[in-house]
Amino acid sequence: MCPTIFHIDVNSAYLSWTAIEYLKKGADEDLRDIPCIIGGDRESRHGVVLAKSIPAKRFGIRTGEPVVNALKKCPDLRMERPDHKLYARYSRQMMNLLKDYTPDIEQLSIDECFLDFTGIAYRFSDPIEGAFDIKNRIRDELGFTVNIGISTNKLLAKMASDFEKPDRVHTLFPKEMPEKMWPLPVSELYMAGRSSVEVLRKLEIRTIGELAKADPNFLSLHLKSHGRTLWEFANGIGDDIVRSEAEEAKGIGNSITLSRDAETAEEARKVLLSLSESVGRRLRKAQKKAGMVSVEIRYANFRNVSHQAILDTPSQADSVIYKAACRLFGELWSGEPIRLLGIRTAKLHEEDVPLQMNLFDYMEEKKKDEKHQKLDQALDEIKKKFGDDAVFRGTLMDGK
């Protein structure tokens, strides 16, 4: 059976959830019906736009832009500060509703997820009916709207959900790509950041269709491995496996939303160092070694991307995790401002499970592993006693 994947995305989540809460408390107006944003501080004029209403969008206000710019476009703009506890509550409500349909749900962020419709398709006349049933239940029972994209893989489903908003259902099956996706500007393609789009523009590639018909080897010359990835995405090639919470629980990871967007690789590497140490410490506490490392980036416009790699040898060492994370970050980052960074490990092994390798490699690996383990355990003890800021391993900053 051909898989059917839904991508479910809350329309202007932070603003919608704030508006609903205010209405419940007796507010006279719906924040979604007036020029309003979530984010920043009117007095200091600091911060960025996290979410915007449709009336605010009509003033040209964009998600991710500085609040000071938004106020210039609309001086009477209403601003509300973010309430992440509130958002988490509404997110849980949506996920619980979706679990009425299937446990096969992969949550990407607080306001979006993939749902594998394949196993419940028999309950509906077609996927569109199923999507409308889900969308309308969320609207009627929870009070906010979502877009649902439908396709045979996660990439195309996500592209479909970004079509016309709000409160819509869209399909983007492979046969529909020439009509629905290929005429779009290449900037609309998932993972096509500003720097990549600029390179493609110089190569006279302006639409997703032109990218799909380009030579992938030629693209790799100019954009390295990311060029082939973009070519695959332009041709609708993507993962169709929805990784549910149960599978995610098999890994150990950590992520952080930055108080200020990271704009340079050096800033990002400092965050990756801290995350590597946190993940390594949790692996050692669980007496596990990781065989795979993945890095997640959320950009200032709330677009999420991730990349993963298999380690040569399973490890729990901070330095090994950090080196892998830096390499993945270098391959993944588009150059856009970063709102969130995360590291996750998977393919976990018990730390005392013997590895299959020749005797010489085994002895070398054992010496190296023992050296890492003693250092990491010593640092764990120092941090436990004096706090996480007691040690700064600057040598790791260069991936050494």
Side-chain angles (χ1 to χ4, degrees):
M1 180 185 295
C2 185
T4 303
I5 309 298
F6 288 2
H7 179 254
I8 302 169
D9 189 12
V10 180
N11 300 135
S12 196
Y14 290 0
L15 188 128
S16 292
W17 292 335
T18 304
I20 294 167
E21 197 68 11
Y22 276 22
L23 291 171
K24 285 181 179 178
K25 294 177 179 178
D28 294 329
E29 59 184 357
D30 190 329
L31 298 181
R32 293 168 290 190
D33 296 334
I34 63 172
C36 180
I37 64 169
I38 303 295
D41 180 86
R42 178 176 286 276
E43 292 182 5
S44 66
R45 300 171 77 86
H46 288 164
V48 297
V49 177
L50 302 179
K52 63 187 181 301
S53 65
I54 290 177
K57 184 179 179 180
R58 295 191 187 111
F59 283 88
I61 294 170
R62 297 175 290 105
T63 300
E65 76 172 312
V67 164
V68 64
N69 291 0
L71 288 170
K72 289 178 181 177
K73 295 175 181 177
C74 179
D76 295 327
L77 185 68
R78 178 162 171 178
M79 298 171 56
E80 295 291 336
R81 293 188 177 185
D83 183 344
H84 294 286
K85 288 184 179 179
L86 174 71
Y87 307 151
R89 174 155 55 86
Y90 277 101
S91 178
R92 284 194 300 271
Q93 290 176 5
M94 182 175 76
M95 294 304 156
N96 289 336
L97 184 150
L98 295 176
K99 288 173 185 175
D100 288 346
Y101 293 87
T102 176
D104 297 328
I105 299 166
E106 178 182 345
Q107 188 167 1
L108 291 180
S109 63
I110 199 166
D111 62 346
E112 62 176 327
C113 66
F114 290 111
L115 181 148
D116 192 338
F117 183 78
T118 315
I120 58 172
Y122 68 93
R123 293 164 50 185
F124 302 92
S125 61
D126 58 34
I128 295 176
E129 182 196 4
F132 269 98
D133 188 84
I134 292 172
K135 178 185 74 68
N136 293 343
R137 270 196 66 192
I138 292 172
R139 182 193 62 208
D140 297 341
E141 296 180 23
L142 302 182
F144 55 89
T145 63
V146 300
N147 263 41
I148 299 182
I150 307 172
S151 192
T152 55
N153 65 38
K154 294 194 289 189
L155 165 73
L156 293 178
K158 186 170 177 63
M159 289 289 298
S161 70
D162 282 336
F163 292 160
E164 185 183 0
K165 298 179 180 182
D167 200 24
R168 299 298 178 96
V169 170
H170 298 285
T171 63
L172 182 57
F173 293 109
K175 65 181 180 181
E176 298 177 303
M177 288 167 49
E179 177 186 352
K180 291 185 175 181
M181 189 172 86
W182 283 356
L184 297 175
V186 73
S187 58
E188 297 291 316
L189 183 64
Y190 179 59
M191 278 188 69
R194 283 180 295 183
S195 58
S196 298
V197 170
E198 180 61 23
V199 171
L200 293 171
R201 186 188 66 79
K202 291 177 181 177
L203 298 176
E204 298 186 349
I205 295 175
R206 292 178 172 80
T207 68
I208 297 177
E210 290 172 345
L211 177 60
K213 295 169 186 175
D215 182 347
N217 295 320
F218 174 70
L219 295 172
S220 296
L221 288 174
H222 295 272
L223 290 167
K224 301 183 180 178
S225 61
H226 193 56
R228 179 168 285 276
T229 298
L230 291 176
W231 176 84
E232 290 177 351
F233 286 176
N235 281 282
I237 301 169
D239 183 8
D240 62 6
I241 299 173
V242 173
R243 294 168 176 83
S244 64
E245 291 179 2
E247 184 173 347
E248 285 296 310
K250 297 177 183 177
I252 289 177
N254 196 10
S255 63
I256 183 170
T257 300
L258 307 178
S259 58
R260 182 176 61 85
D261 292 347
E263 298 184 345
T264 68
E266 182 181 3
E267 290 176 308
R269 283 196 294 268
K270 290 180 181 178
V271 178
L272 291 174
L273 172 60
S274 176
L275 291 172
S276 298
E277 293 178 338
S278 170
V279 172
R281 186 161 61 247
R282 291 176 59 192
L283 284 168
R284 292 188 291 278
K285 185 176 180 180
Q287 298 183 322
K288 301 287 187 180
K289 291 184 178 180
M292 186 188 79
V293 174
S294 65
V295 168
E296 175 194 8
I297 299 173
R298 180 178 302 157
Y299 292 114
N301 61 6
F302 292 91
R303 183 167 59 87
N304 293 300
V305 295
S306 62
H307 196 16
Q308 64 187 38
I310 302 295
L311 297 177
D312 293 334
T313 305
S315 180
Q316 58 183 201
D318 300 352
S319 58
V320 173
I321 297 168
Y322 176 71
K323 287 179 182 178
C326 285
R327 185 177 72 252
L328 291 168
F329 174 81
E331 295 173 355
L332 181 65
W333 186 41
S334 67
E336 299 170 69
I338 300 167
R339 173 65 44 80
L340 174 147
L341 277 171
I343 294 177
R344 173 163 288 278
T345 59
K347 297 187 181 296
L348 303 187
H349 305 261
E350 297 297 329
E351 65 180 3
D352 57 354
V353 170
L355 303 172
Q356 292 185 348
M357 57 180 67
N358 63 53
L359 181 60
F360 177 77
D361 287 341
Y362 173 76
M363 294 304 295
E364 287 297 308
E365 192 62 38
K366 185 178 180 181
K367 289 179 184 177
K368 192 186 303 181
D369 199 50
E370 288 175 349
K371 180 181 177 182
H372 284 310
Q373 190 173 34
K374 287 179 180 178
L375 174 61
D376 289 334
Q377 287 175 346
L379 292 175
D380 288 347
E381 287 299 316
I382 294 172
K383 290 182 177 182
K384 185 176 179 181
K385 188 173 182 180
F386 299 105
D388 286 348
D389 295 331
V391 178
F392 176 72
R393 297 208 290 192
T395 55
L396 283 182
M397 293 306 299
D398 298 321
K400 296 179 182 178

